[in-house]
Structure formats: C-alpha cells, structure tokens
Amino acid sequence: MERVNIAVFASGSGSNCENLIQYFNVNACARVALVVSNKADAYVLERAKRLGVPSVVVPKAELARPEVMLPLMEQYAIGFVVLAGFLPLVPAYLIDAFPRRMVNIHPSLLPKFGGKGMWGHHVHEAVKAAGETETGMTVHWVTPQCDEGDIIAQFRVALSPDDTPDDIAAKEHVLEMEHFPQVVERLILDCR
C-alpha cells in the first residue's frame, strides 16, 4: 500500500508538527512530506529542517492564490492536509481540493472557545475566566468558517480551580501529543 503524503500547515512553534513527523516516520500508512507556514520566522520551519522534511513559507496573500497553492500540493503529491496551529483561514478553493481530507486541531472542547481570535493562550485564558472544570482538544474537518467543521474526535482533561492558563495549556497539550497522530492515522486509513 502506497504511503499518503501529508502536508502540515503551522504558524508557530510546531510541536504538533514534530510529533506527526516522528509518528509517521515509523508508520507505513503515511508520511509528512511538506510543512507549510505563513510566517518566515515560525519555529516549525526549524523543526522541519532538523527532521529532514521540506518546508515552504506561503504568506497570506499567496495562500489566497490557487495558482500558487494547487501546484505546490501537486508537486509534493499531497493526499491529506493537517492544520496544526495554522492561524490564517484556509481559502475555500483549497478546502474543496481536499474534501474530507483536511483537518484542524483546536485547543478546546468545541464549540466552546472557538472562532476568530481563539487560538493558543487566548483559548486557555478564556477557559480559566469561564471557570471550566474541564478542557480538552478537538479535531474537526476544515470548512471556510473558523472552527465550525464537523467534530471528528475530542479528548478531555479535568481542571482544578487553582490551574492557571499555563497549567491549562500544559494539560491540554499532553492530550494533543498523545492523541492527535492516532486520529490523523485513522482518518487516512478511512479515506483510502
């Protein structure tokens, strides 16, 4: 069975991207073949380089251009796209090119704490401010609306009233590291 090539889109540090690269390096169903970032200074690019995965910087204006992105996806024979901390909205033409083959990870239990401006520490601060007793991560299909695609999987963790936003972030991040690659693997196997 031929391995599926994954493109990981990320805007920041890239810990989920690195986790996916390492997971699929020893997994026969897929491999991370390309890392795409909208920021030239994103640490995810360093991680990709260190792990031998090609990467490209695509500014937001270029992301909006099918004549840029579609040939790039074709060049690397991309069969599945994973958004892992990618901040720009993905244009509809690109979502349409990967029907039920583009997912996003979100650091809360959607539909709570999702939507525009809800990323990273903003989410964890909102969880704390709301007095939530649990948080978690959500994997969902990507649609043109921010964080509104059908939910594929959610994983939860209990919170203490004493938890700071940093504590909440750390607890949620453990869930991402533990579960995200397996969810992506299952989806890739299901779409074959």
Side-chain angles (χ1 to χ4, degrees), residues 141-184:
W141 295 113
V142 176
T143 65
Q145 295 75 38
C146 184
D147 296 329
E148 291 187 17
D150 291 343
I151 292 171
I152 298 162
Q154 290 186 315
F155 301 91
R156 301 166 184 272
V157 63
L159 298 177
S160 155
D162 298 331
D163 284 339
T164 66
D166 286 345
D167 296 331
I168 294 168
K171 287 182 175 184
E172 186 274 331
H173 192 68
V174 168
L175 295 176
E176 293 178 357
M177 294 297 105
E178 184 178 342
H179 298 289
F180 193 35
Q182 291 90 341
V183 173
V184 172

Coordinates of all heavy atoms in Angstrom, one line a residue, residues 141-184:
W141 N -13.1 18.6 10.9 CA -12.9 18.9 9.5 C -12.9 20.4 9.3 O -13.5 21.2 10.0 CB -14.1 18.3 8.7 CG -14.2 16.8 8.7 CD1 -15.2 16.1 9.3 CD2 -13.3 15.9 8.2 NE1 -14.9 14.7 9.1 CE2 -13.8 14.6 8.5 CE3 -12.1 16.0 7.5 CZ2 -13.1 13.4 8.1 CZ3 -11.4 14.8 7.1 CH2 -11.9 13.6 7.4
V142 N -12.1 20.8 8.3 CA -11.9 22.2 8.0 C -13.0 22.6 7.0 O -13.3 21.9 6.0 CB -10.5 22.5 7.4 CG1 -10.4 23.9 7.0 CG2 -9.4 22.1 8.4
T143 N -13.6 23.8 7.3 CA -14.6 24.4 6.5 C -14.2 25.9 6.3 O -13.3 26.3 7.1 CB -16.0 24.4 7.1 OG1 -16.0 25.1 8.3 CG2 -16.5 22.9 7.3
P144 N -14.8 26.6 5.4 CA -14.4 28.0 5.3 C -14.8 28.9 6.5 O -14.2 30.0 6.7 CB -15.3 28.5 4.1 CG -15.5 27.3 3.3 CD -15.7 26.2 4.3
Q145 N -15.6 28.4 7.4 CA -15.9 29.1 8.7 C -15.0 28.6 9.8 O -14.8 27.4 10.0 CB -17.4 28.8 9.1 CG -18.4 29.4 8.1 CD -18.5 28.6 6.9 OE1 -18.5 27.4 6.9 NE2 -18.7 29.3 5.7
C146 N -14.4 29.5 10.5 CA -13.4 29.2 11.5 C -14.0 28.3 12.6 O -15.0 28.7 13.3 CB -12.9 30.5 12.2 SG -11.6 30.3 13.3
D147 N -13.4 27.1 12.8 CA -13.7 26.2 13.9 C -15.1 25.6 13.9 O -15.7 25.3 14.9 CB -13.4 26.8 15.3 CG -12.0 27.1 15.5 OD1 -11.1 26.4 14.9 OD2 -11.7 28.1 16.2
E148 N -15.8 25.6 12.7 CA -17.2 25.2 12.6 C -17.4 23.9 11.9 O -18.5 23.4 11.7 CB -18.0 26.3 12.0 CG -18.2 27.5 12.9 CD -19.1 28.5 12.3 OE1 -20.0 28.2 11.5 OE2 -19.1 29.7 12.8
G149 N -16.3 23.2 11.4 CA -16.4 21.9 10.8 C -16.9 20.8 11.7 O -16.7 20.9 12.9
D150 N -17.4 19.8 11.1 CA -17.9 18.6 11.9 C -16.8 18.1 12.8 O -15.6 18.0 12.4 CB -18.4 17.5 11.0 CG -19.6 17.8 10.3 OD1 -20.3 18.8 10.7 OD2 -19.9 17.1 9.3
I151 N -17.1 17.8 14.1 CA -16.2 17.3 15.0 C -15.9 15.8 14.8 O -16.8 15.0 14.6 CB -16.7 17.5 16.5 CG1 -16.7 19.0 16.8 CG2 -15.8 16.8 17.5 CD1 -17.4 19.4 18.1
I152 N -14.6 15.5 14.7 CA -14.2 14.1 14.5 C -13.9 13.4 15.8 O -14.3 12.3 16.0 CB -12.9 14.1 13.6 CG1 -13.2 14.8 12.2 CG2 -12.4 12.7 13.4 CD1 -12.0 15.2 11.4
A153 N -13.2 14.1 16.7 CA -12.8 13.5 17.9 C -12.5 14.6 19.0 O -12.1 15.7 18.6 CB -11.5 12.7 17.8
Q154 N -12.8 14.3 20.2 CA -12.5 15.2 21.3 C -11.9 14.3 22.5 O -12.3 13.2 22.7 CB -13.7 15.9 21.8 CG -14.2 16.9 20.9 CD -15.4 17.8 21.4 OE1 -16.3 17.2 22.0 NE2 -15.3 19.1 21.2
F155 N -11.0 14.9 23.2 CA -10.3 14.3 24.3 C -10.4 15.3 25.5 O -10.1 16.5 25.2 CB -8.9 13.8 24.0 CG -8.9 12.8 22.9 CD1 -8.8 13.3 21.6 CD2 -9.1 11.5 23.1 CE1 -8.8 12.4 20.5 CE2 -9.1 10.6 22.0 CZ -8.9 11.0 20.7
R156 N -10.7 14.9 26.7 CA -10.9 15.8 27.8 C -9.9 15.5 28.9 O -9.4 14.4 29.1 CB -12.3 15.5 28.4 CG -13.4 15.7 27.4 CD -14.7 15.2 27.8 NE -15.7 15.3 26.8 CZ -16.5 16.4 26.6 NH1 -16.4 17.4 27.4 NH2 -17.3 16.5 25.6
V157 N -9.7 16.6 29.7 CA -8.9 16.5 30.9 C -9.6 17.4 32.0 O -10.1 18.5 31.7 CB -7.4 16.9 30.7 CG1 -7.3 18.4 30.2 CG2 -6.6 16.7 31.9
A158 N -9.5 16.9 33.2 CA -10.1 17.7 34.3 C -9.2 18.9 34.7 O -8.0 18.8 34.6 CB -10.3 16.8 35.5
L159 N -9.9 19.9 35.2 CA -9.1 21.1 35.6 C -9.4 21.3 37.1 O -10.5 21.0 37.6 CB -9.6 22.4 34.8 CG -9.3 22.4 33.3 CD1 -9.9 23.6 32.7 CD2 -7.9 22.2 33.0
S160 N -8.4 21.9 37.8 CA -8.5 22.3 39.2 C -8.8 23.8 39.2 O -8.3 24.6 38.3 CB -7.2 22.0 39.9 OG -7.1 22.8 41.0
P161 N -9.6 24.3 40.2 CA -9.8 25.7 40.3 C -8.5 26.5 40.5 O -8.4 27.7 40.2 CB -10.6 25.9 41.6 CG -11.2 24.5 41.8 CD -10.3 23.5 41.2
D162 N -7.4 25.8 40.9 CA -6.1 26.5 41.1 C -5.3 26.6 39.8 O -4.2 27.2 39.8 CB -5.3 25.8 42.1 CG -5.9 25.8 43.5 OD1 -6.7 26.7 43.8 OD2 -5.7 24.8 44.3
D163 N -5.7 25.9 38.7 CA -5.0 25.9 37.5 C -4.9 27.3 36.9 O -5.9 28.0 36.8 CB -5.6 24.9 36.5 CG -5.3 23.5 36.8 OD1 -4.4 23.2 37.5 OD2 -6.1 22.6 36.2
T164 N -3.7 27.7 36.5 CA -3.5 28.9 35.8 C -3.7 28.7 34.3 O -3.8 27.5 33.9 CB -2.1 29.4 36.0 OG1 -1.2 28.5 35.3 CG2 -1.7 29.6 37.4
P165 N -3.8 29.7 33.4 CA -3.9 29.4 32.0 C -2.7 28.6 31.5 O -2.9 27.8 30.6 CB -3.9 30.8 31.4 CG -4.6 31.7 32.4 CD -4.1 31.1 33.8
D166 N -1.5 28.8 32.1 CA -0.4 28.0 31.7 C -0.6 26.5 32.0 O -0.2 25.6 31.3 CB 0.9 28.5 32.3 CG 1.4 29.8 31.6 OD1 0.9 30.2 30.5 OD2 2.2 30.5 32.2
D167 N -1.1 26.3 33.2 CA -1.4 24.9 33.7 C -2.4 24.3 32.7 O -2.3 23.1 32.3 CB -2.0 24.9 35.1 CG -1.0 25.4 36.1 OD1 0.2 25.2 35.9 OD2 -1.5 25.9 37.2
I168 N -3.4 25.0 32.4 CA -4.5 24.5 31.5 C -3.9 24.2 30.1 O -4.1 23.1 29.5 CB -5.6 25.6 31.3 CG1 -6.3 25.7 32.6 CG2 -6.6 25.2 30.2 CD1 -7.3 26.9 32.7
A169 N -3.0 25.1 29.6 CA -2.3 24.8 28.3 C -1.5 23.5 28.4 O -1.5 22.7 27.5 CB -1.4 26.0 28.0
A170 N -0.8 23.4 29.5 CA 0.1 22.2 29.6 C -0.7 20.9 29.6 O -0.4 19.9 29.0 CB 0.9 22.3 30.9
K171 N -1.9 20.9 30.4 CA -2.7 19.7 30.4 C -3.3 19.4 29.1 O -3.4 18.2 28.6 CB -3.9 19.9 31.4 CG -3.4 19.9 32.9 CD -4.6 20.1 33.8 CE -4.2 19.9 35.3 NZ -5.3 19.9 36.2
E172 N -3.7 20.4 28.4 CA -4.3 20.2 27.0 C -3.3 19.7 26.1 O -3.6 18.9 25.2 CB -5.0 21.5 26.6 CG -5.8 21.4 25.3 CD -4.9 21.6 24.0 OE1 -3.9 22.3 24.1 OE2 -5.3 21.0 23.0
H173 N -2.1 20.3 26.2 CA -1.0 19.9 25.2 C -0.7 18.4 25.4 O -0.3 17.7 24.4 CB 0.2 20.8 25.5 CG 1.3 20.6 24.4 ND1 1.1 21.1 23.1 CD2 2.5 20.1 24.4 CE1 2.1 20.8 22.4 NE2 3.0 20.2 23.2
V174 N -0.7 17.9 26.6 CA -0.5 16.4 26.8 C -1.5 15.6 25.9 O -1.1 14.6 25.3 CB -0.6 16.0 28.3 CG1 -0.6 14.5 28.5 CG2 0.6 16.6 29.0
L175 N -2.7 16.0 25.9 CA -3.7 15.3 25.1 C -3.4 15.4 23.6 O -3.5 14.4 22.9 CB -5.1 16.0 25.3 CG -5.7 15.9 26.7 CD1 -7.1 16.7 26.7 CD2 -6.0 14.5 27.1
E176 N -2.9 16.5 23.1 CA -2.5 16.7 21.7 C -1.4 15.7 21.4 O -1.5 15.0 20.4 CB -2.1 18.1 21.4 CG -3.2 19.1 21.5 CD -2.7 20.5 21.3 OE1 -1.4 20.8 21.0 OE2 -3.5 21.4 21.3
M177 N -0.4 15.7 22.2 CA 0.8 14.8 21.9 C 0.3 13.3 21.9 O 0.8 12.5 21.1 CB 1.9 15.0 23.0 CG 2.5 16.4 22.9 SD 3.4 16.8 21.4 CE 2.2 17.9 20.6
E178 N -0.6 13.0 22.8 CA -1.0 11.6 23.0 C -1.9 11.1 21.9 O -1.8 10.0 21.4 CB -1.6 11.4 24.3 CG -2.0 10.0 24.7 CD -2.6 9.8 26.0 OE1 -2.5 10.7 26.9 OE2 -3.3 8.8 26.2
H179 N -2.9 12.0 21.5 CA -4.0 11.5 20.6 C -4.0 12.0 19.2 O -4.5 11.3 18.3 CB -5.3 11.9 21.3 CG -5.6 11.3 22.6 ND1 -5.8 10.0 22.8 CD2 -5.6 11.9 23.8 CE1 -6.0 9.8 24.1 NE2 -5.8 10.9 24.7
F180 N -3.4 13.1 18.9 CA -3.6 13.7 17.6 C -3.0 12.8 16.4 O -3.7 12.6 15.4 CB -2.9 15.1 17.5 CG -3.3 15.9 16.3 CD1 -4.5 15.8 15.7 CD2 -2.4 16.8 15.8 CE1 -4.9 16.6 14.6 CE2 -2.7 17.6 14.7 CZ -3.9 17.5 14.1
P181 N -1.8 12.3 16.5 CA -1.3 11.4 15.4 C -2.2 10.2 15.2 O -2.4 9.8 14.0 CB 0.1 11.0 15.9 CG 0.5 12.1 16.9 CD -0.8 12.5 17.6
Q182 N -2.7 9.6 16.2 CA -3.6 8.4 16.0 C -4.9 8.8 15.3 O -5.4 8.0 14.5 CB -3.9 7.7 17.4 CG -2.7 7.0 18.0 CD -1.9 7.9 18.9 OE1 -2.0 9.2 18.9 NE2 -1.1 7.3 19.7
V183 N -5.5 9.9 15.6 CA -6.7 10.4 15.0 C -6.4 10.6 13.5 O -7.1 10.2 12.6 CB -7.2 11.7 15.6 CG1 -8.4 12.2 14.8 CG2 -7.7 11.4 17.0
V184 N -5.3 11.3 13.2 CA -4.9 11.5 11.8 C -4.7 10.2 11.0 O -5.2 10.0 9.9 CB -3.7 12.4 11.7 CG1 -3.2 12.5 10.2 CG2 -4.0 13.8 12.2

